[in-house]
Amino acid sequence: MTTKVTLSFADQTIADARQWAERDGVSLSSWIDRAAQDRALREIFSAHAEALRRAKVDLDAAALADEEEIALVDADLYRRRRAAR
């Protein structure tokens, strides 16, 4: 679903966005939509990281646990692919 809106941008901002959209092979609307989504995600992740800092969560231990979990999943997927051959 999409919604049409009217926005105003600085001339240089639109010129830059058009150039990047052309480079990426997408419409200006699609490029701006993606840029807005990326910014929204950065804001969400930054707020989440700040909440973790305030809660004094041990990020190093969590990162190591994530890496170990990823390695286990990768190993399991690799075994399944080999068994399927």
Side-chain angles (χ1 to χ4, degrees):
M1 176 184 254
T2 60
T3 302
K4 290 190 178 249
V5 296
T6 301
L7 301 169
S8 298
F9 294 96
D11 291 339
Q12 188 60 51
T13 300
I14 288 298
D16 291 342
R18 279 192 175 113
Q19 182 179 18
W20 291 112
E22 185 177 324
R23 181 205 65 175
D24 292 348
V26 298
S27 69
L28 178 60
S29 291
S30 293
W31 194 89
I32 290 173
D33 182 64
R34 185 67 196 157
Q37 288 175 7
D38 290 349
R39 177 62 188 259
L41 287 174
R42 279 195 305 273
E43 293 294 329
I44 290 167
F45 290 138
S46 294
H48 183 254
E50 180 58 29
L52 290 175
R53 277 192 289 280
R54 283 195 313 268
K56 298 185 187 324
V57 172
D58 185 353
L59 296 176
D60 290 333
L64 287 174
D66 287 347
E67 287 176 10
E68 290 170 2
E69 186 174 353
I70 289 168
L72 289 172
V73 169
D74 285 346
D76 185 52
L77 290 173
Y78 178 73
R79 273 193 300 277
R80 289 182 191 188
R81 274 189 237 128
R82 294 212 23 121
R85 289 184 184 172

